[in-house]
Structure formats: C-alpha cells, structure tokens
Amino acid sequence: MRTLLLAVFAVFSLSSLTAQEYRIVKGGVTDSLPIPTGGSDTYALYTPSNYNPGQEWPVIFVFDPKGRGATTANLFRGAAEDQKYLIASSNIDLKSKPIDSIIKTATAMMNGVLNSFPVDPEMVYTAGLGEGAQVGSALPLIYKQMAGVMAIGNSFVNPKYLDRNNPYMFIGLAGNKDYMVYEMESYLRFYDNLNFPTEVYYFDGKEDEWPNTSVISNAMSGFTLEAIKNGARPKDQEFIQKLYEDEVAYTETLRRTRNYYAAFEKLERMEEKYKDLGFEDEIEDRKKAVKKTDGFKSQRRDFNQAVAFEKEQQAEYEYLLIDDIMTANFQNIGWWAYQVDELEKLQKGSNDAKSNMAYRLLGYLDFLTKREFDSIIKSNASIDTKIFMSVLRTAISKNDPEAYLKIISLAGSDGDYETALLYLEDLLKTGYDDMESLYNIEGALDLQFSEEYNQIIKKYLGESKFFSENAEEN
C-alpha cells in the first residue's frame, strides 16, 4: 500500500493534452485507442448508440488487472447504453508493470479522455477488479472532482490523504466465495464513518472474477441515482422506475433460484438506495413475502453459523501458522493438507452457505501462506524455515510452481538431492512443462547435470537436456 501511495503522489496533476479526433463506433466498443504517453498503451471506449459530441456525458474509467479492455467494456455495455455512460476501459496489464508506471499511465488515460471527448467533469467515475480496484480507488487523490468509485474485491484507502471536503460515492462489490468480502465491508464502514455515500453488492463469484452484467448494471444505477439526487442528472421518474424494476427483477431471479436469504438481503439494501423515491411500501411487501418462504429461516441460520465459524477459523489459522513457522514444524504439514482436503469437500457440498465459506477459507489460506512465503524467502531466516514454508505452500496451493522450484533450489544448494528430486517429480505431476526454467534453478547446477534429475524430466516431458540414451531408465 505504501508503494501505491508514493506512486499516486508522484503524479501531481492532470497535464493538458491536445484533443484528438477519433472514429468512434456508436453503440459499440472501439478498441486500441492510444493513451497519450508516447508508448504503446491503449484503451477501449464504449459510446451509447445516441452518443452526441455536442453534449456532455458521464464516464466510467474501468481497470481490469489483465488489461482486457474491450472484453471488460462489454460487461458494462448494456448498463452504459441504458443509463447513458461512456466507458473507457484500460488495456494495461496491471500484473506486469510497476505501480508507479501504472498510476502515471492511468492518469494519462483519464487526461486523454477528458480532453478528447465531451465528458461532464462532475460525473467522472472509476471501476476496477482486484489490482484494478486499487488503481481506481487511488485516482480520487489525483482527480479531486471524482464522483464515485466502484471497487470489486479490493480497494485502496489512506485516511491521511483522503480529501473529506470532496466526498465521492464508494460502491463495494464482493463475490460470496471471495475471502476479501470482509475486507470490502471494512472499507465500506470506513467511508460510512466519513459520511461518504456508500453501497454494497454481493454476487456469486470468487476472487479475481468480474460479476455478471446484471450486478454491474445494478451497481452503476447507484451512481446514476446519486447523481439524480445531487441534481447532476435530471429527475426522470420513468427512468427511475425502470432502474428500480431492473433491480427488482434481479431479486426475483434470486428468489426463483431459491436464494431466499440473498434476495431478502438485497431488498434490505434497496430500501436505503431507493429511499424517498416512492418504493418503500412495495419493497417492504416483497421482504415480507420472502421471509414467509419455506427455506428462508434455515438459509439465514446456515449463513450466520458459517460466518461465525469462518471468522474463528481465520483467527486459528493465523495463530497456528505463525507458531508452526517459528518452530519449522514439518510434522504439522499433514494437518494443513487435511484442512485443505476437508475444505475442498465442503466446496462440493449441497449447503450453499458452507460451500461459499469453504471457498473463502481456502482463498484466505492461500493469501496467508503466500504472504508469509514471500516474506520468509526474502528474509535471513534459516534454510529449514524457508524449506518448511515452501513445503507448506505446496500443501496449500498444489498447482503453484513457485514453491516447488524454491524447494528444489534450497535443497539442491544444501546437498539434499533426495528432497530436491522428490519435489521435482511432484512439480512435473502438476503438469508443469517449462523445461528451460528447470535448468536455471539457482543453487541446483550440479543436480541439473545428474542422471536422476534428467531421467525424471524425460519421464514427464519426453526429453531432457542432458539425458543419456544409454543411461539406465526407470
């Protein structure tokens, strides 16, 4: 987070750029528009079918962590058409660039759009997923007129630098299988305490997954209604009615798919969203109808029990992990593997509350052990501690090659060839096929020339660099 903050303040203002003429597809996505940085970075732009450059438009700047600009713009397309937004969606691969570079490029993208298209400066918004949510939620520190941020699965907040005199709307979205759901709720409480307008939306999904178009549309309507309440958009009762009916249709989908508790929770949030707009009685009637449905009470009970158990487990996992790391307790690796197996069984169960909880706990375990792994490998910890942490990572994240490669490196440099060969074969069993990397592992040079090492590689990949055809094969 500190790195992100420094990157944000490395860009002090939006510089003026010359507006350019673009051939834009109305009602469609125009891809590969250049970001005015002098580099090769681009973005995709969606404009509604009735786009008119003679009037000002609200705009949402969207950041996908993998830079899938056009694909992501299309997720917002239906809502942008109905609610009349421009969508500028970045093609920047956020996972492959340093954060200072990303912030500068994102700022240049905003600047280019604001200077090239007829944007209403009071209705500028951002939306992002994961790392993209962090970038999007940092941009209000640069563009002080920001009207709203839609953060999906993550965010960036620093109370010290937040401008309380320029409040914006914060909309948080979280998948019900995403371990970050509670972190997103803490961000919402932070903004609530500052009296910033907030909304929260939940959807059926894991970390690093975009919600479906219906959820995105409902979330965008939060921006739209807030703009209507503030007088930035005209109060069109017919338009408000359509927004309401679209959202009610979503709750009805939840109810018809027997997600009664989720439908009830959604209706409760709609009460606040549509407050003073004439829908209070109807929403209350719908809530009462859902509460009377067979299955509502049991779903609510299951949800509350799962959440309580989950929070206890998170605290226990963190405590036990630190204790095992301090003692490099290899004997407990089996216990951690058992936890993973049990959670994977729960994922496949018929109880939705427990299944979603299992997804979140596995995600949390993955996050927790990756955090400790990264810290310990970079530290001056003993080789036993580093190997323990690497072995534990393979038990938690069975298909992540990083820990396997690190064990081969550590064991090879320590002369423990038996362990190195064991984890080489375990790595190849996961389907790993980057042969070049297997011959560039630090500390394992002697091992890489050995007959045993090359035999294992040939067994799984069909060839090896130093395999002798005359050598005895297994």
Side-chain angles (χ1 to χ4, degrees):
M1 288 297 184
R2 181 175 179 273
T3 309
L4 177 59
L5 184 63
L6 293 172
V8 168
F9 284 97
V11 184
F12 294 101
S13 64
L14 296 170
S15 58
S16 296
L17 296 176
T18 304
Q20 301 180 43
E21 293 294 329
Y22 298 113
R23 184 170 294 175
I24 301 301
V25 179
K26 290 185 179 182
V29 175
T30 305
D31 199 6
S32 302
L33 295 174
I35 295 175
T37 58
S40 59
D41 292 307
T42 64
Y43 66 96
L45 182 77
Y46 173 80
T47 58
S49 56
N50 65 340
Y51 171 71
N52 176 6
Q55 69 181 71
E56 291 185 331
W57 295 78
V59 62
I60 302 178
F61 292 95
V62 182
F63 300 94
D64 173 72
K66 297 181 180 178
R68 299 166 294 190
T71 301
T72 308
N74 277 307
L75 286 175
F76 288 75
R77 179 175 180 165
E81 178 68 25
D82 292 341
Q83 300 178 44
K84 308 308 175 189
Y85 285 85
L86 305 181
I87 303 295
S89 185
S90 158
N91 284 320
I92 308 167
D93 185 348
L94 305 182
K95 294 180 180 291
S96 66
K97 294 188 176 184
I99 191 65
D100 57 340
S101 171
I102 291 167
I103 291 294
K104 289 178 181 178
T105 307
T107 303
M109 172 180 151
M110 284 184 64
N111 191 45
V113 172
L114 294 174
N115 283 282
S116 300
F117 300 97
V119 172
D120 187 329
E122 294 185 0
M123 288 192 285
V124 176
Y125 307 88
T126 68
L129 168 69
E131 293 93 341
Q134 291 187 306
V135 172
S137 58
L139 290 175
L141 300 178
I142 299 171
Y143 186 77
K144 298 296 185 180
Q145 291 176 271
M146 192 72 71
V149 170
M150 184 191 301
I152 304 167
N154 212 327
S155 186
F156 168 76
V157 174
N158 190 297
K160 183 178 179 181
Y161 296 99
L162 190 69
D163 187 352
R164 291 165 171 78
N165 295 319
N166 289 290
Y168 51 87
M169 186 171 202
F170 181 82
I171 297 179
L173 289 84
N176 55 15
K177 296 178 175 66
D178 185 355
Y179 73 93
M180 284 291 290
V181 65
Y182 303 117
E183 191 70 15
M184 292 303 299
E185 289 172 354
S186 72
Y187 291 131
L188 285 154
R189 286 192 295 272
F190 169 80
Y191 283 107
D192 280 335
N193 290 336
L194 295 178
N195 292 319
F196 280 41
T198 64
E199 284 185 8
V200 61
Y201 295 83
Y202 300 96
F203 62 95
D204 185 22
K206 303 190 290 290
E207 60 266 26
D208 295 327
E209 285 185 358
W210 284 97
N212 64 34
T213 56
S214 296
V215 176
I216 289 174
S217 179
N218 291 339
M220 282 177 60
S221 69
F223 289 153
T224 302
L225 288 173
E226 188 67 19
I228 290 171
K229 292 174 184 177
N230 292 337
R233 294 182 72 144
K235 187 175 182 179
D236 181 338
Q237 193 58 42
E238 185 177 341
F239 177 54
I240 294 172
Q241 179 73 33
K242 183 181 184 308
L243 294 178
Y244 171 75
E245 289 175 356
D246 287 346
E247 203 146 2
V248 164
Y250 180 71
T251 68
E252 184 62 15
T253 298
L254 291 172
R255 190 189 70 81
R256 287 177 180 271
T257 53
R258 296 185 175 86
N259 290 299
Y260 306 122
Y261 185 62
F264 180 81
E265 291 275 279
K266 174 65 177 172
L267 287 165
E268 281 206 317
R269 294 191 294 274
M270 285 179 65
E271 277 187 312
E272 180 63 26
K273 181 175 180 177
Y274 290 91
K275 186 178 180 181
D276 301 326
L277 293 175
F279 303 106
E280 292 86 353
D281 291 342
E282 182 180 342
I283 292 175
E284 188 61 33
D285 289 343
R286 288 182 175 275
K287 283 173 57 184
K288 290 177 180 177
V290 173
K291 286 183 74 173
K292 292 178 181 178
T293 308
D294 289 341
F296 168 78
K297 290 183 179 179
S298 63
Q299 286 185 5
R300 180 175 60 184
R301 182 184 63 249
D302 289 345
F303 176 82
N304 290 334
Q305 288 177 348
V307 168
F309 176 78
E310 179 180 0
K311 290 184 177 180
E312 290 177 2
Q313 283 296 101
Q314 283 190 353
E316 182 179 11
Y317 285 155
E318 186 145 9
Y319 171 80
L320 293 175
L321 176 62
I322 298 303
D323 187 60
D324 282 351
I325 291 172
M326 290 178 66
T327 58
N329 195 333
F330 285 89
Q331 291 183 345
N332 283 344
I333 296 289
W335 183 87
W336 290 103
Y338 173 77
Q339 298 301 304
V340 171
D341 289 342
E342 290 300 296
L343 289 172
E344 288 176 344
K345 290 176 186 176
L346 275 179
Q347 282 181 331
K348 301 171 184 176
S350 59
N351 186 306
D352 287 343
K354 291 182 179 179
S355 175
N356 292 338
M357 175 204 70
Y359 276 102
R360 292 193 298 269
L361 279 174
L362 278 171
Y364 182 71
L365 269 178
D366 184 51
F367 159 76
L368 194 61
T369 55
K370 181 65 166 67
R371 183 189 70 188
E372 296 301 321
F373 173 82
D374 289 342
S375 174
I376 288 169
I377 294 303
K378 294 174 183 176
S379 73
N380 293 322
S382 68
I383 189 169
D384 283 348
T385 300
K386 289 183 177 182
I387 291 179
F388 167 80
M389 195 63 238
S390 301
V391 172
L392 178 57
R393 273 296 291 163
T394 66
I396 302 297
S397 185
K398 301 183 179 92
N399 293 315
D400 183 356
E402 185 178 18
Y404 293 95
L405 292 169
K406 182 54 66 175
I407 295 171
I408 298 168
S409 171
L410 291 168
S413 63
D414 196 41
D416 185 359
Y417 291 169
E418 185 176 350
T419 296
L421 292 171
L422 173 66
Y423 279 88
L424 169 65
E425 185 154 20
D426 285 346
L427 171 61
L428 291 168
K429 285 178 180 177
T430 69
Y432 188 78
D433 59 1
D434 185 352
M435 184 186 295
E436 194 63 33
S437 70
L438 297 176
Y439 288 95
N440 286 285
I441 299 174
E442 184 181 358
L445 183 60
D446 289 344
L447 182 63
Q448 290 159 15
F449 283 102
S450 73
E451 180 180 321
E452 295 84 357
Y453 192 89
N454 285 273
Q455 282 180 341
I456 292 172
I457 292 175
K458 182 175 174 63
K459 176 181 175 182
Y460 288 92
L461 301 186
E463 60 178 332
S464 63
K465 276 195 172 184
F466 308 114
F467 183 81
S468 171
E469 292 293 341
N470 297 322
E472 183 181 351
E473 299 187 31
N474 292 333

Short mmCIF file of all heavy atoms in Angstrom, two decimals, residues 24-72:
data_model
loop_
_atom_site.label_atom_id
_atom_site.label_comp_id
_atom_site.label_asym_id
_atom_site.label_seq_id
_atom_site.Cartn_x
_atom_site.Cartn_y
_atom_site.Cartn_z
N ILE A 24 -15.21 6.89 -33.84
CA ILE A 24 -15.81 6.13 -32.75
C ILE A 24 -17.06 5.38 -33.25
O ILE A 24 -17.88 5.94 -33.98
CB ILE A 24 -16.20 7.07 -31.59
CG1 ILE A 24 -14.97 7.80 -31.08
CG2 ILE A 24 -16.88 6.31 -30.47
CD1 ILE A 24 -13.87 6.90 -30.57
N VAL A 25 -17.20 4.14 -32.81
CA VAL A 25 -18.37 3.33 -33.15
C VAL A 25 -19.48 3.64 -32.15
O VAL A 25 -19.33 3.38 -30.96
CB VAL A 25 -18.03 1.83 -33.11
CG1 VAL A 25 -19.27 1.00 -33.44
CG2 VAL A 25 -16.90 1.51 -34.06
N LYS A 26 -20.57 4.20 -32.61
CA LYS A 26 -21.71 4.46 -31.71
C LYS A 26 -22.41 3.15 -31.38
O LYS A 26 -22.66 2.32 -32.24
CB LYS A 26 -22.70 5.42 -32.37
CG LYS A 26 -22.19 6.84 -32.51
CD LYS A 26 -23.29 7.74 -33.05
CE LYS A 26 -22.82 9.18 -33.18
NZ LYS A 26 -23.89 10.07 -33.67
N GLY A 27 -22.71 2.95 -30.09
CA GLY A 27 -23.39 1.74 -29.67
C GLY A 27 -22.48 0.52 -29.67
O GLY A 27 -22.96 -0.61 -29.60
N GLY A 28 -21.18 0.74 -29.75
CA GLY A 28 -20.24 -0.37 -29.77
C GLY A 28 -18.93 0.01 -29.11
O GLY A 28 -18.74 1.15 -28.66
N VAL A 29 -18.01 -0.93 -29.06
CA VAL A 29 -16.71 -0.73 -28.43
C VAL A 29 -15.66 -0.45 -29.50
O VAL A 29 -15.51 -1.22 -30.44
CB VAL A 29 -16.29 -1.96 -27.60
CG1 VAL A 29 -14.88 -1.78 -27.06
CG2 VAL A 29 -17.28 -2.19 -26.45
N THR A 30 -14.98 0.66 -29.35
CA THR A 30 -13.84 0.99 -30.21
C THR A 30 -12.57 0.65 -29.44
O THR A 30 -12.31 1.22 -28.39
CB THR A 30 -13.84 2.49 -30.57
OG1 THR A 30 -15.10 2.84 -31.14
CG2 THR A 30 -12.71 2.81 -31.54
N ASP A 31 -11.78 -0.27 -29.95
CA ASP A 31 -10.62 -0.75 -29.20
C ASP A 31 -9.34 -0.08 -29.69
O ASP A 31 -9.29 0.53 -30.76
CB ASP A 31 -10.51 -2.26 -29.33
CG ASP A 31 -9.64 -2.88 -28.24
OD1 ASP A 31 -9.23 -2.16 -27.32
OD2 ASP A 31 -9.37 -4.09 -28.32
N SER A 32 -8.30 -0.24 -28.84
CA SER A 32 -6.93 0.17 -29.18
C SER A 32 -6.77 1.67 -29.43
O SER A 32 -5.97 2.09 -30.27
CB SER A 32 -6.42 -0.62 -30.40
OG SER A 32 -6.47 -2.01 -30.14
N LEU A 33 -7.52 2.48 -28.70
CA LEU A 33 -7.30 3.92 -28.76
C LEU A 33 -6.04 4.25 -27.98
O LEU A 33 -5.84 3.75 -26.87
CB LEU A 33 -8.50 4.67 -28.18
CG LEU A 33 -9.82 4.51 -28.95
CD1 LEU A 33 -10.96 5.17 -28.20
CD2 LEU A 33 -9.69 5.11 -30.35
N PRO A 34 -5.16 5.09 -28.51
CA PRO A 34 -3.87 5.32 -27.85
C PRO A 34 -4.00 6.17 -26.59
O PRO A 34 -4.75 7.14 -26.54
CB PRO A 34 -3.06 6.06 -28.92
CG PRO A 34 -4.08 6.73 -29.78
CD PRO A 34 -5.27 5.82 -29.80
N ILE A 35 -3.26 5.77 -25.56
CA ILE A 35 -3.12 6.59 -24.36
C ILE A 35 -1.97 7.55 -24.62
O ILE A 35 -0.88 7.13 -25.02
CB ILE A 35 -2.83 5.72 -23.13
CG1 ILE A 35 -4.03 4.81 -22.83
CG2 ILE A 35 -2.52 6.58 -21.91
CD1 ILE A 35 -3.80 3.82 -21.72
N PRO A 36 -2.19 8.86 -24.43
CA PRO A 36 -1.17 9.84 -24.81
C PRO A 36 0.03 9.87 -23.87
O PRO A 36 0.24 10.83 -23.13
CB PRO A 36 -1.93 11.16 -24.77
CG PRO A 36 -3.03 10.94 -23.79
CD PRO A 36 -3.41 9.50 -23.93
N THR A 37 0.80 8.79 -23.89
CA THR A 37 2.02 8.73 -23.07
C THR A 37 3.26 8.60 -23.93
O THR A 37 4.38 8.59 -23.41
CB THR A 37 1.96 7.50 -22.13
OG1 THR A 37 1.81 6.32 -22.93
CG2 THR A 37 0.80 7.61 -21.15
N GLY A 38 3.06 8.46 -25.22
CA GLY A 38 4.20 8.24 -26.11
C GLY A 38 4.57 6.78 -26.23
O GLY A 38 5.44 6.41 -27.01
N GLY A 39 3.88 5.92 -25.46
CA GLY A 39 4.15 4.49 -25.51
C GLY A 39 3.11 3.75 -26.32
O GLY A 39 2.38 4.34 -27.12
N SER A 40 3.01 2.45 -26.08
CA SER A 40 2.10 1.61 -26.86
C SER A 40 0.81 1.28 -26.10
O SER A 40 0.00 0.51 -26.59
CB SER A 40 2.80 0.31 -27.24
OG SER A 40 3.23 -0.39 -26.08
N ASP A 41 0.61 1.87 -24.92
CA ASP A 41 -0.57 1.56 -24.12
C ASP A 41 -1.84 2.12 -24.78
O ASP A 41 -1.84 3.23 -25.33
CB ASP A 41 -0.43 2.13 -22.72
CG ASP A 41 0.66 1.45 -21.91
OD1 ASP A 41 0.61 0.21 -21.82
OD2 ASP A 41 1.56 2.14 -21.40
N THR A 42 -2.91 1.33 -24.67
CA THR A 42 -4.18 1.72 -25.30
C THR A 42 -5.35 1.46 -24.36
O THR A 42 -5.19 0.88 -23.29
CB THR A 42 -4.40 0.92 -26.59
OG1 THR A 42 -4.55 -0.48 -26.27
CG2 THR A 42 -3.26 1.10 -27.58
N TYR A 43 -6.52 1.88 -24.81
CA TYR A 43 -7.74 1.60 -24.06
C TYR A 43 -8.88 1.38 -25.05
O TYR A 43 -8.76 1.69 -26.25
CB TYR A 43 -8.09 2.74 -23.09
CG TYR A 43 -8.46 4.05 -23.75
CD1 TYR A 43 -9.80 4.40 -23.96
CD2 TYR A 43 -7.48 4.96 -24.15
CE1 TYR A 43 -10.14 5.61 -24.55
CE2 TYR A 43 -7.81 6.17 -24.74
CZ TYR A 43 -9.15 6.49 -24.94
OH TYR A 43 -9.48 7.68 -25.53
N ALA A 44 -9.97 0.81 -24.57
CA ALA A 44 -11.18 0.61 -25.38
C ALA A 44 -12.24 1.58 -24.90
O ALA A 44 -12.32 1.90 -23.71
CB ALA A 44 -11.66 -0.83 -25.24
N LEU A 45 -13.07 2.05 -25.81
CA LEU A 45 -14.10 3.03 -25.48
C LEU A 45 -15.46 2.56 -25.96
O LEU A 45 -15.61 2.16 -27.13
CB LEU A 45 -13.78 4.38 -26.10
CG LEU A 45 -14.77 5.51 -25.78
CD1 LEU A 45 -14.52 6.03 -24.36
CD2 LEU A 45 -14.66 6.65 -26.79
N TYR A 46 -16.45 2.59 -25.06
CA TYR A 46 -17.84 2.33 -25.46
C TYR A 46 -18.60 3.64 -25.42
O TYR A 46 -18.51 4.41 -24.45
CB TYR A 46 -18.53 1.33 -24.53
CG TYR A 46 -20.00 1.20 -24.86
CD1 TYR A 46 -20.41 0.41 -25.93
CD2 TYR A 46 -20.96 1.93 -24.16
CE1 TYR A 46 -21.75 0.33 -26.28
CE2 TYR A 46 -22.30 1.86 -24.51
CZ TYR A 46 -22.69 1.06 -25.57
OH TYR A 46 -24.00 1.00 -25.93
N THR A 47 -19.36 3.91 -26.48
CA THR A 47 -20.24 5.07 -26.51
C THR A 47 -21.66 4.60 -26.79
O THR A 47 -21.87 3.70 -27.62
CB THR A 47 -19.82 6.07 -27.59
OG1 THR A 47 -19.81 5.41 -28.86
CG2 THR A 47 -18.45 6.64 -27.32
N PRO A 48 -22.67 5.16 -26.11
CA PRO A 48 -24.06 4.77 -26.36
C PRO A 48 -24.47 5.03 -27.81
O PRO A 48 -23.85 5.83 -28.51
CB PRO A 48 -24.85 5.66 -25.39
CG PRO A 48 -23.88 6.04 -24.32
CD PRO A 48 -22.56 6.14 -25.02
N SER A 49 -25.52 4.36 -28.25
CA SER A 49 -25.96 4.48 -29.65
C SER A 49 -26.43 5.88 -29.99
O SER A 49 -26.40 6.27 -31.16
CB SER A 49 -27.07 3.46 -29.93
OG SER A 49 -28.15 3.64 -29.03
N ASN A 50 -26.87 6.64 -28.98
CA ASN A 50 -27.30 8.02 -29.25
C ASN A 50 -26.22 9.03 -28.87
O ASN A 50 -26.51 10.19 -28.58
CB ASN A 50 -28.60 8.33 -28.52
CG ASN A 50 -28.44 8.31 -27.00
OD1 ASN A 50 -27.48 7.72 -26.49
ND2 ASN A 50 -29.36 8.95 -26.29
N TYR A 51 -24.97 8.57 -28.86
CA TYR A 51 -23.85 9.45 -28.50
C TYR A 51 -23.83 10.68 -29.40
O TYR A 51 -23.92 10.58 -30.63
CB TYR A 51 -22.53 8.70 -28.62
CG TYR A 51 -21.31 9.57 -28.48
CD1 TYR A 51 -20.96 10.11 -27.24
CD2 TYR A 51 -20.52 9.87 -29.59
CE1 TYR A 51 -19.82 10.90 -27.11
CE2 TYR A 51 -19.39 10.66 -29.47
CZ TYR A 51 -19.05 11.18 -28.23
OH TYR A 51 -17.94 11.98 -28.10
N ASN A 52 -23.71 11.84 -28.76
CA ASN A 52 -23.68 13.11 -29.48
C ASN A 52 -22.55 13.94 -28.89
O ASN A 52 -22.59 14.31 -27.71
CB ASN A 52 -25.02 13.84 -29.31
CG ASN A 52 -25.02 15.22 -29.94
OD1 ASN A 52 -24.06 15.62 -30.60
ND2 ASN A 52 -26.10 15.96 -29.73
N PRO A 53 -21.52 14.25 -29.67
CA PRO A 53 -20.39 15.02 -29.14
C PRO A 53 -20.76 16.45 -28.77
O PRO A 53 -19.95 17.17 -28.19
CB PRO A 53 -19.37 14.99 -30.29
CG PRO A 53 -20.16 14.70 -31.52
CD PRO A 53 -21.31 13.86 -31.09
N GLY A 54 -21.99 16.86 -29.09
CA GLY A 54 -22.42 18.20 -28.74
C GLY A 54 -22.93 18.33 -27.31
O GLY A 54 -23.30 19.43 -26.89
N GLN A 55 -23.00 17.22 -26.55
CA GLN A 55 -23.43 17.28 -25.16
C GLN A 55 -22.42 16.57 -24.28
O GLN A 55 -21.63 15.77 -24.75
CB GLN A 55 -24.82 16.62 -24.99
CG GLN A 55 -24.80 15.11 -25.18
CD GLN A 55 -26.17 14.49 -25.04
OE1 GLN A 55 -27.02 14.66 -25.92
NE2 GLN A 55 -26.39 13.76 -23.95
N GLU A 56 -22.44 16.89 -22.98
CA GLU A 56 -21.51 16.28 -22.04
C GLU A 56 -22.06 14.97 -21.50
O GLU A 56 -23.27 14.83 -21.28
CB GLU A 56 -21.21 17.24 -20.89
CG GLU A 56 -20.41 18.46 -21.32
CD GLU A 56 -20.01 19.32 -20.13
OE1 GLU A 56 -20.75 19.34 -19.13
OE2 GLU A 56 -18.95 19.98 -20.21
N TRP A 57 -21.15 13.99 -21.27
CA TRP A 57 -21.54 12.65 -20.86
C TRP A 57 -20.81 12.24 -19.58
O TRP A 57 -19.64 12.60 -19.38
CB TRP A 57 -21.19 11.64 -21.95
CG TRP A 57 -21.96 11.84 -23.22
CD1 TRP A 57 -21.71 12.78 -24.17
CD2 TRP A 57 -23.11 11.11 -23.65
NE1 TRP A 57 -22.63 12.68 -25.18
CE2 TRP A 57 -23.50 11.66 -24.89
CE3 TRP A 57 -23.83 10.05 -23.12
CZ2 TRP A 57 -24.60 11.18 -25.61
CZ3 TRP A 57 -24.92 9.57 -23.83
CH2 TRP A 57 -25.29 10.13 -25.05
N PRO A 58 -21.48 11.46 -18.74
CA PRO A 58 -20.75 10.82 -17.64
C PRO A 58 -19.83 9.74 -18.19
O PRO A 58 -20.11 9.15 -19.24
CB PRO A 58 -21.85 10.23 -16.76
CG PRO A 58 -23.03 10.06 -17.66
CD PRO A 58 -22.92 11.13 -18.72
N VAL A 59 -18.72 9.48 -17.49
CA VAL A 59 -17.77 8.47 -17.95
C VAL A 59 -17.31 7.62 -16.78
O VAL A 59 -17.17 8.11 -15.66
CB VAL A 59 -16.54 9.12 -18.64
CG1 VAL A 59 -15.76 10.00 -17.67
CG2 VAL A 59 -15.61 8.07 -19.26
N ILE A 60 -17.12 6.33 -17.05
CA ILE A 60 -16.54 5.41 -16.07
C ILE A 60 -15.23 4.88 -16.63
O ILE A 60 -15.20 4.29 -17.72
CB ILE A 60 -17.48 4.24 -15.74
CG1 ILE A 60 -18.82 4.75 -15.20
CG2 ILE A 60 -16.84 3.31 -14.70
CD1 ILE A 60 -19.83 3.66 -14.89
N PHE A 61 -14.13 5.10 -15.90
CA PHE A 61 -12.84 4.55 -16.27
C PHE A 61 -12.69 3.18 -15.60
O PHE A 61 -12.77 3.08 -14.37
CB PHE A 61 -11.71 5.48 -15.82
CG PHE A 61 -11.68 6.78 -16.57
CD1 PHE A 61 -12.32 7.91 -16.06
CD2 PHE A 61 -11.05 6.87 -17.80
CE1 PHE A 61 -12.30 9.11 -16.76
CE2 PHE A 61 -11.02 8.07 -18.50
CZ PHE A 61 -11.65 9.19 -17.98
N VAL A 62 -12.49 2.15 -16.41
CA VAL A 62 -12.50 0.78 -15.92
C VAL A 62 -11.10 0.17 -16.02
O VAL A 62 -10.42 0.32 -17.04
CB VAL A 62 -13.51 -0.07 -16.73
CG1 VAL A 62 -13.56 -1.50 -16.19
CG2 VAL A 62 -14.90 0.55 -16.69
N PHE A 63 -10.71 -0.54 -14.95
CA PHE A 63 -9.37 -1.14 -14.90
C PHE A 63 -9.49 -2.63 -14.58
O PHE A 63 -9.87 -3.02 -13.47
CB PHE A 63 -8.51 -0.44 -13.85
CG PHE A 63 -8.32 1.03 -14.14
CD1 PHE A 63 -9.16 1.98 -13.59
CD2 PHE A 63 -7.32 1.43 -15.01
CE1 PHE A 63 -8.99 3.32 -13.88
CE2 PHE A 63 -7.14 2.77 -15.31
CZ PHE A 63 -7.99 3.72 -14.74
N ASP A 64 -9.16 -3.45 -15.57
CA ASP A 64 -9.11 -4.90 -15.41
C ASP A 64 -7.67 -5.29 -15.14
O ASP A 64 -6.75 -4.78 -15.81
CB ASP A 64 -9.61 -5.58 -16.69
CG ASP A 64 -9.42 -7.08 -16.65
OD1 ASP A 64 -10.16 -7.74 -15.90
OD2 ASP A 64 -8.52 -7.59 -17.36
N PRO A 65 -7.39 -6.16 -14.16
CA PRO A 65 -6.00 -6.48 -13.82
C PRO A 65 -5.20 -7.06 -14.97
O PRO A 65 -3.97 -6.91 -15.02
CB PRO A 65 -6.13 -7.47 -12.65
CG PRO A 65 -7.53 -7.95 -12.67
CD PRO A 65 -8.35 -6.86 -13.27
N LYS A 66 -5.85 -7.74 -15.91
CA LYS A 66 -5.15 -8.34 -17.03
C LYS A 66 -5.19 -7.49 -18.30
O LYS A 66 -4.74 -7.92 -19.36
CB LYS A 66 -5.72 -9.74 -17.32
CG LYS A 66 -5.53 -10.72 -16.17
CD LYS A 66 -6.09 -12.09 -16.50
CE LYS A 66 -5.91 -13.07 -15.34
NZ LYS A 66 -6.50 -14.40 -15.64
N GLY A 67 -5.76 -6.30 -18.19
CA GLY A 67 -5.78 -5.40 -19.33
C GLY A 67 -6.69 -5.83 -20.46
O GLY A 67 -6.43 -5.54 -21.63
N ARG A 68 -7.80 -6.47 -20.13
CA ARG A 68 -8.75 -6.93 -21.15
C ARG A 68 -9.78 -5.83 -21.41
O ARG A 68 -10.94 -5.92 -21.02
CB ARG A 68 -9.42 -8.22 -20.69
CG ARG A 68 -8.46 -9.38 -20.46
CD ARG A 68 -9.07 -10.53 -19.69
NE ARG A 68 -9.40 -10.14 -18.32
CZ ARG A 68 -9.78 -11.00 -17.38
NH1 ARG A 68 -9.83 -12.30 -17.65
NH2 ARG A 68 -10.07 -10.58 -16.17
N GLY A 69 -9.33 -4.76 -22.08
CA GLY A 69 -10.13 -3.56 -22.22
C GLY A 69 -11.47 -3.77 -22.90
O GLY A 69 -12.52 -3.42 -22.37
N ALA A 70 -11.46 -4.33 -24.11
CA ALA A 70 -12.68 -4.49 -24.88
C ALA A 70 -13.64 -5.46 -24.20
O ALA A 70 -14.85 -5.23 -24.11
CB ALA A 70 -12.36 -4.96 -26.29
N THR A 71 -13.10 -6.58 -23.70
CA THR A 71 -13.94 -7.58 -23.02
C THR A 71 -14.61 -6.98 -21.80
O THR A 71 -15.81 -7.18 -21.57
CB THR A 71 -13.07 -8.78 -22.60
OG1 THR A 71 -12.47 -9.36 -23.75
CG2 THR A 71 -13.92 -9.83 -21.89
N THR A 72 -13.85 -6.22 -21.02
CA THR A 72 -14.41 -5.62 -19.82
C THR A 72 -15.41 -4.53 -20.17
O THR A 72 -16.45 -4.39 -19.51
CB THR A 72 -13.28 -5.05 -18.94
OG1 THR A 72 -12.30 -6.07 -18.73
CG2 THR A 72 -13.82 -4.60 -17.60
#
